[in-house]
């Protein structure tokens, strides 16, 4: 009898120790999650409520006491830590968004200054500087901290040629063609045309069967297309050449997004890794395109202007890297969809800045057109959010 009681007491002690260790483990495990409750769930014992005559304490009572003693103080600390983490995250998100908007708008205005006011006639070369600076900065980061861009066995030369090069081609088209409209179009009108991007993106996604057809989606992009057309009709200094260049840039952007979804499916990359593997492909095509179209202008136009204004080109190159880095930080902290929403807000701010700083004129017809685009985009975003929510909930059912 004594041996059995001793065994029961030992069993109870080990179970209580296990409960305490399990509770502490839960505290560690859940401590990093915002809003989690310390304490976890204790596994109730299937055999008997008491561990033995000598203990005189119910396992359930011991469990309740332990939860009360460890949980109450822990919850207060956890709530305080969670609140601090949420505040730090909110500050980080706000800072990243503000810095990205500032850097992005500053780059647009500086590029426009270089192209138009300095009469720099090599937009492809100007774009190449930003990509080269980005790749150089990533290589320096990799040399200093190799863990940020580790070697990957799945990114072979064959994989890079078949998957990264096609994306680099359309990235080149997006960047190069996107610079050319500033010679003939106002900054505000260019921002209005960029609102047309979701229309072509949806069209290509339907063609490649990456998106299911639905009339609400068609309606949303139809509203955007109508608003863009109205904005074009209201443009005072309308020019077909600049408009076609901008539409070409939007086509390349849409194709880049579609190909990224097809060719890089299942390939998880950190933001710095993406820049390390994708930027060389973009530089490759920018170099070919630039040499083919601008080589004759290098001696007479490009080199003298660069020599006389080196600071402007260095700052523009650094801002190009800053845009890449901060946009990826926003995506990491929020999502790509939120980035698109912020792009629309940034475009509106840039339109206002172009009116104040550059003297651009925005007609009432253009304002109505742009407001229509924003309305269509808001509806499009709502549909995409609903679709994403349904895909998340379906596996749970």
């Amino acid at each position: 009898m004594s041996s059995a009681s001793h065994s029961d007491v030992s069993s109870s002690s080990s179970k209580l120790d296990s409960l305490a260790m399990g509770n502490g483990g839960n505290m560690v495990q859940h401590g990093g999650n915002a809003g989690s409750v310390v304490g976890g769930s204790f596994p109730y014992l299937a055999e008997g409520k008491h561990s033995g005559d000598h203990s005189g304490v119910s396992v359930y009572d011991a469990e309740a006491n332990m939860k009360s003693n460890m949980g109450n103080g822990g919850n207060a600390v956890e709530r305080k830590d969670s609140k601090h983490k949420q505040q730090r995250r909110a500050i980080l998100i706000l800072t990243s968004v503000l810095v990205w908007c500032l850097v992005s708008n500053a780059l647009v205005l500086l590029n426009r200054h270089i192209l138009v006011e300095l009469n720099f006639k090599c937009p492809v070369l100007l774009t190449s500087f930003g990509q080269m600076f980005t790749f150089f900065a990533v290589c320096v980061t990799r040399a200093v901290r190799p863990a940020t861009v580790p070697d990957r066995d799945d990114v072979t030369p064959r994989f890079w040629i078949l998957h990264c090069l096609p994306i680099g081609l359309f990235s080149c088209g997006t960047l190069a063609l996107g610079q050319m409209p500033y010679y003939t179009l106002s900054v505000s009108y260019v921002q209005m045309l960029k609102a047309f991007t979701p229309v072509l993106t949806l069209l290509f996604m339907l063609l490649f069967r990456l998106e299911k057809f639905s009339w609400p989606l068609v309606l949303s992009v139809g509203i955007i297309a109508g608003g863009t057309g109205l904005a074009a009709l209201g443009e005072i200094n309308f020019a077909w050449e600049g408009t076609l260049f901008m539409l070409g840039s939007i086509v390349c952007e849409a194709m880049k997004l579609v190909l990224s979804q097809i060719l890089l499916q299942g390939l998880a990359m950190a933001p710095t890794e993406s820049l390390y593997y994708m930027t060389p492909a973009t530089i490759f095509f920018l170099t070919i395109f630039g040499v083919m179209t601008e080589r004759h202008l290098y001696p007479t136009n490009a080199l003298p202007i660069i020599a006389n204004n080196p600071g402007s080109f260095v700052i523009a190159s650094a801002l190009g890297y800053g845009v890449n880095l901060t946009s990826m930080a926003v995506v990491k902290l929020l999502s790509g969809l939120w980035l698109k929403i912020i792009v629309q807000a940034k475009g509106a701010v840039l339109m206002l800045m172009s009116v104040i700083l550059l003297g651009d004129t925005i007609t009432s017809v253009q304002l109505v057109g742009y407001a229509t685009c924003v309305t269509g985009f808001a509806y499009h975003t709502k549909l995409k959010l609903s679709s994403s929510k349904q895909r998340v909930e379906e596996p749970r059912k």
Side-chain angles (χ1 to χ4, degrees):
M1 182 67 180
S2 174
S3 175
S5 298
H6 179 73
S7 175
D8 288 339
V9 172
S10 299
S11 173
S12 173
S13 175
S14 65
K15 288 174 181 175
L16 289 176
D17 288 342
S18 130
L19 291 171
M21 291 175 65
N23 193 55
N26 283 333
M27 290 172 65
V28 173
Q29 182 179 358
H30 295 292
N33 298 331
S36 62
V37 179
V38 177
S41 57
F42 283 78
Y44 288 102
L45 301 178
E47 298 290 339
K49 293 184 179 180
H50 294 272
S51 59
D53 296 333
H54 296 286
S55 67
V57 180
S58 166
V59 173
Y60 296 107
D61 293 336
E63 176 184 335
N65 291 336
M66 290 170 66
K67 280 186 178 180
S68 176
N69 294 334
M70 300 182 66
N72 290 340
N75 280 336
V77 174
E78 178 71 16
R79 283 194 297 269
K80 186 175 180 180
D81 290 343
S82 176
K83 185 177 179 180
H84 288 163
K85 287 179 181 178
Q86 290 175 355
Q87 289 175 346
R88 286 196 299 269
R89 178 177 171 80
I91 293 172
L92 183 59
I93 290 173
L94 182 60
T95 303
S96 299
V97 169
L98 289 177
V99 171
W100 176 69
C101 290
L102 178 64
V103 171
S104 179
N105 287 346
L107 178 61
V108 170
L109 296 176
L110 180 56
N111 281 345
R112 193 257 182 197
H113 167 75
I114 292 172
L115 294 172
V116 178
E117 297 178 19
L118 297 183
N119 198 30
F120 190 77
K121 297 186 180 298
C122 302
V124 180
L125 181 62
L126 178 61
T127 302
S128 301
F129 288 154
Q131 295 299 303
M132 291 175 184
F133 190 97
T134 297
F135 186 62
F136 172 76
V138 172
C139 288
V140 171
T141 303
R142 187 173 190 260
V144 175
R145 297 181 61 188
T148 56
V149 187
D151 293 326
R152 299 181 64 109
D153 296 332
D154 49 359
V155 184
T156 61
R158 184 175 183 274
F159 179 92
W160 188 84
I161 292 171
L162 295 178
H163 294 75
C164 298
L165 267 185
I167 297 173
L169 173 63
F170 287 102
S171 179
C172 164
T174 300
L175 296 170
L177 295 177
Q179 296 282 13
M180 296 177 182
Y182 292 107
Y183 288 113
T184 55
L185 302 178
S186 64
V187 172
S188 56
Y189 179 50
V190 170
Q191 300 310 306
M192 293 179 191
L193 289 177
K194 286 182 179 180
F196 191 67
T197 304
V199 177
L200 292 178
T201 303
L202 177 63
L203 176 62
F204 286 130
M205 292 190 78
L206 288 173
L207 288 176
F208 285 91
R209 297 183 180 181
L210 296 174
E211 186 75 57
K212 291 182 179 180
F213 178 87
S214 71
W215 285 111
L217 273 178
V218 172
L219 176 61
S220 68
V221 297
I223 294 172
I224 296 173
T228 305
L230 196 60
L233 288 175
E235 173 63 18
I236 296 176
N237 300 315
F238 178 84
W240 273 112
E241 181 183 4
T243 301
L244 291 176
F245 276 134
M246 194 64 234
L247 290 176
S249 175
I250 294 172
V251 169
C252 290
E253 173 69 13
M255 277 300 300
K256 185 186 77 172
L257 293 173
V258 170
L259 284 180
S260 297
Q261 194 164 338
I262 295 173
L263 299 179
L264 301 181
Q265 189 173 17
L267 186 67
M269 281 189 180
T272 311
E273 284 183 283
S274 299
L275 289 178
Y276 182 74
Y277 290 108
M278 296 299 170
T279 306
T282 305
I283 295 173
F284 174 75
F285 286 109
L286 283 172
T287 302
I288 294 175
F289 189 31
V291 170
M292 290 174 59
T293 59
E294 301 174 351
R295 179 179 56 186
H296 63 287
L297 294 172
Y298 291 166
T300 58
N301 179 266
L303 293 179
I305 294 177
I306 293 173
N308 292 329
N309 305 273
S312 297
F313 288 89
V314 171
I315 294 173
S317 301
L319 287 175
Y321 173 61
V323 169
N324 287 328
L325 202 62
T326 53
S327 63
M328 288 188 301
V330 173
V331 171
K332 185 177 180 181
L333 292 169
L334 296 172
S335 69
L337 187 60
W338 272 104
L339 182 63
K340 294 177 184 178
I341 295 172
I342 296 168
V343 163
Q344 296 300 315
K346 181 185 74 69
V349 172
L350 187 55
M351 286 169 56
L352 180 62
M353 291 173 64
S354 68
V355 172
I356 297 173
L357 300 177
L358 304 177
D360 287 355
T361 301
I362 301 177
T363 64
S364 56
V365 175
Q366 282 185 298
L367 286 176
V368 173
Y370 188 69
T372 304
C373 287
V374 172
T375 302
F377 180 79
Y379 182 43
H380 182 77
T381 303
K382 179 179 179 296
L383 293 173
K384 297 296 289 182
L385 285 172
S386 300
S387 176
S388 299
K389 186 178 180 181
Q390 287 177 359
R391 284 197 296 267
V392 171
E393 290 178 349
E394 278 176 1
R396 298 178 181 178
K397 293 180 180 180

